[in-house]
Amino acid sequence: MIQERRQTDKDMHYFWDELNLAQKFSVAELQRFGYELRFVRQQDNHKVAVLFAGNKMAAIDHDGQIDTEPRVVVRH
């Protein structure tokens, strides 16, 4: 069985390394509430971190601002 690339621990570390300091602080804050970093997307010349907690989604912009109702299209 082939495991999807975005599900491996190695890639989660890769995504963490893609974040700037402000984003890392915001990710750490959301992790306190059960959110997990799933992927980082390039958007408008900036990286956006996308996290999930169950079926709730949050996104963190380049400045570390948390959006709990992001307009992010997710492939299934």
Side-chain angles (χ1 to χ4, degrees), residues 26-63:
S26 295
V27 167
E29 185 66 23
L30 285 177
Q31 286 175 330
R32 293 179 50 218
F33 297 99
Y35 282 84
E36 295 179 4
L37 178 62
R38 291 282 179 88
F39 59 90
V40 176
R41 181 173 287 171
Q42 185 75 25
Q43 188 172 342
D44 299 328
N45 296 323
H46 294 292
K47 294 181 179 175
V48 176
V50 179
L51 299 88
F52 284 88
N55 58 357
K56 295 185 292 183
M57 181 178 15
I60 301 172
D61 70 11
H62 180 74
D63 296 324

